[in-house]
Amino acid sequence: MSETFSVIARDGAARAGVLRTAHGEVPTPAFMPVGTKGTVKSVDPDELRALGAGIVLGNAYHLHFRPGEELIAELGGLHAFMGWDGPILTDSGGFQVFSLRDTLLEVDDDGVTFRSVYDGAPERFTPELAARVQERLGSDVAMCLDICLPAGADRSELEEAVRRTTLWAQQQRDLPRAPGQLRFAITQGGLDGELRRRSSEELVALGFDGYAIGGLSVGEHREPMFDATTEAAAFLPEEKPRYFMGIGDPEGVLEVISRGVDMFDCVLPTRTARTGSALTREGRLNLRNARFARDERPLEEGCPCPACTRFSRAYVRHLVNQQEILGLRLLSLHNLRFLLDLVAAARRAIERGEFLSWKEEALEGAKGAM
Ligand SMILES: [Zn+2]
C-alpha cells in the first residue's frame, strides 16, 4: 500500500501534498468545510463537490447526541447517511466539551463528565467512547479525545491538559477503527513552547497517522498564535500530515500554510454568510450596507460560484435583508468557494516555488477580509 501522506512540493516551510484515505485522495493544503451535524449548513453534497471541497468535517459530539452513532451505523455510516462519498474527518467531541465550559462537571484521568447541551443530562466522554463513536460513524480520519483550554489558562492547567491528552491518546490508539480509518492525535500546550514540545514528543512516540495542533486559535492574539504554530509544526514529523484546528479567515489560512500546516477547518465561511457578509479579494462585504442597493456587479468579479455567475450584489442584499433562505445559501456557496479557491491557489504557488511572493500579494487585498 502506498504511503498515507506524501509531500510533493515544498516552498520554505509550506508544503503541497496528498493525503490518501479510504474514500479517496485529498490534495493538501486542504480546507475542510465544517458539517457539524452531518451537513455543511444549507449546502448539499453535490454543491460541495462542485465548489472543490475534497474533505469535510463531521462532529462526533453533536452526532453522538443527535441522531446517535448507532442509528447512523445502522443506516450505512456517515457517508451514506449524509450522501457524501468523499473523505470525512470527524473530531472527537473534546473541543465542544471543553469550549462549552459552563457544562463541564469533572475531568479525571479516564475521561470527562459534562452536561449535554441538548437536554442538560450528565454525560461522559472517554477515549473508548471517542473511538467507538468515530468507528461507528465510519469516518476516514478519526481524532483522539484531547483537552483544549481557552487562552489565558495558567501553566499548571496547561501541563495537566498535556499529561491527560497523552494518556487519553495512549488509551485510544489501539482501539477498533472503521475499515481504513486513520487516527490523528492532537498536541496541546497553548503558547508554551516547552509544553508544546513535550506534548508533541509524547504523541509522536506513540505513533499516529497524523497530528493536529490543538489549543490555538482559542482567543489569544494573532502574532503569538502564529509564532506558536511555527514552533508546534516544527515538533511534528515531516512525513505526517499536520492539521491546525479551527482557522478559516483568509490571512490565518495562508499564515498557517506558510508555517507547514497541511489541513485546517473552520465554520467561518458559513457563519460569515449567516451574518450577511461575503469574503472577497478586496475584503469582507457586508451586504446589508445601503451602498449595495443598486450594485449590479457580482459579489466577486470572475468568481465561478453559483451566486456570482447569476446574481447581483443588489439582489443578494435584498435576499439578506428579507431573510430569504436563498440569500444565506448564495453567500455560503460563495464564501466556501472563495476559501477553497484561495487554498487551491496557495497549493499551485507552492508547486511553482512562488508561495511567499504570491501570499504577500494575496494578503494585500484580503487584509480587510479578516
Ligand atoms: Zn462567488
Side-chain angles (χ1 to χ4, degrees):
M1 193 190 128
S2 54
E3 290 289 313
T4 296
F5 179 71
S6 331
V7 175
I8 58 165
R10 282 192 172 77
D11 188 359
R15 358 194 279 162
V18 182
L19 176 70
R20 296 180 187 85
T21 78
H23 286 80
E25 298 191 344
V26 183
T28 63
F31 173 70
M32 301 185 279
V34 179
T36 305
K37 300 184 178 183
T39 166
V40 176
K41 289 191 191 304
S42 87
V43 179
D44 88 29
D46 293 338
E47 290 171 325
L48 270 181
R49 180 71 76 191
L51 292 170
I55 177 169
V56 302
L57 188 142
N59 195 289
Y61 180 102
H62 292 289
L63 295 172
H64 170 65
F65 291 119
R66 303 284 190 278
E69 65 277 6
E70 291 305 331
L71 184 140
I72 292 175
E74 198 183 305
L75 297 173
L78 186 56
H79 294 86
F81 188 58
M82 67 184 278
W84 168 260
D85 61 4
I88 299 175
L89 178 147
T90 44
D91 68 7
S92 66
F95 180 77
Q96 279 68 36
V97 171
F98 288 96
S99 60
L100 302 164
R101 293 195 73 76
D102 31 338
T103 65
L104 262 184
L105 295 175
E106 200 203 338
V107 190
D108 56 58
D109 282 357
D110 300 317
V112 51
T113 309
F114 58 96
R115 291 194 182 280
S116 151
V117 287
Y118 288 96
D119 56 12
E123 298 282 351
R124 188 161 166 80
F125 273 10
T126 60
E128 291 74 21
L129 184 78
R132 165 91 185 158
V133 169
Q134 296 178 87
E135 185 266 323
R136 300 306 283 156
L137 294 174
S139 57
D140 298 283
V141 182
M143 302 302 298
C144 287
L145 188 66
D146 65 321
I147 298 182
C148 178
L149 296 176
D154 67 36
R155 194 169 191 281
S156 62
E157 287 178 293
L158 283 173
E159 190 164 15
E160 186 67 347
V162 164
R163 185 184 71 80
R164 283 194 170 128
T165 294
T166 298
L167 197 63
W168 292 355
Q170 197 169 9
Q171 292 169 19
Q172 193 174 336
R173 189 187 63 172
D174 298 323
L175 295 173
R177 309 176 180 209
Q181 187 174 56
L182 306 174
R183 191 169 279 156
F184 287 13
I186 305 172
T187 72
Q188 290 293 338
L191 298 173
D192 187 305
E194 199 264 319
L195 290 179
R196 181 69 62 173
R197 174 193 293 274
R198 185 189 305 174
S199 178
S200 307
E201 286 175 354
E202 289 174 354
L203 294 171
V204 171
L206 288 170
F208 289 90
D209 301 306
Y211 299 91
I213 298 168
L216 294 179
S217 200
V218 289
E220 70 284 60
H221 291 293
R222 301 279 281 186
E223 280 315 313
M225 177 189 84
F226 290 138
D227 291 345
T229 307
T230 306
E231 218 171 15
F235 294 141
L236 297 175
E238 272 290 313
E239 69 283 4
K240 297 288 167 103
R242 302 169 184 151
Y243 163 25
F244 187 109
M245 306 184 87
I247 201 158
D249 64 288
E251 186 207 20
V253 158
L254 299 186
E255 291 297 341
V256 300
I257 291 174
S258 76
R259 287 160 170 78
V261 167
D262 307 299
M263 305 161 67
F264 29 86
D265 72 286
C266 196
V267 294
L268 183 131
T270 41
R271 182 170 288 169
T272 304
R274 290 202 292 284
T275 67
S277 293
L279 303 173
T280 77
R281 282 193 292 271
E282 285 74 43
R284 203 175 282 199
L285 302 184
N286 178 357
L287 272 299
R288 294 180 202 279
N289 196 308
R291 72 190 164 103
F292 299 119
R294 290 183 170 73
D295 196 333
E296 291 181 292
R297 292 173 294 172
L299 297 172
E300 172 107 283
E301 212 67 62
C303 173
C305 87
C308 295
T309 45
R310 284 185 74 184
F311 303 108
S312 64
R313 292 175 179 182
Y315 180 61
V316 177
R317 173 175 191 276
H318 161 70
L319 295 177
V320 166
N321 279 343
Q322 295 309 309
Q323 298 179 336
E324 283 293 335
I325 293 169
L326 184 61
L328 162 67
R329 271 186 34 75
L330 291 175
L331 284 170
S332 295
L333 292 168
H334 169 79
N335 287 346
L336 286 166
R337 179 82 204 216
F338 176 83
L339 212 56
L340 290 162
D341 280 0
L342 183 76
V343 173
R347 178 184 163 91
R348 291 192 298 272
I350 294 167
E351 288 174 340
R352 292 195 308 272
E354 293 171 359
F355 179 70
L356 283 184
S357 56
W358 173 86
K359 169 173 159 265
E360 291 313 308
E361 221 169 282
L363 283 179
E364 276 307 298
K367 284 283 182 199
M370 284 183 277

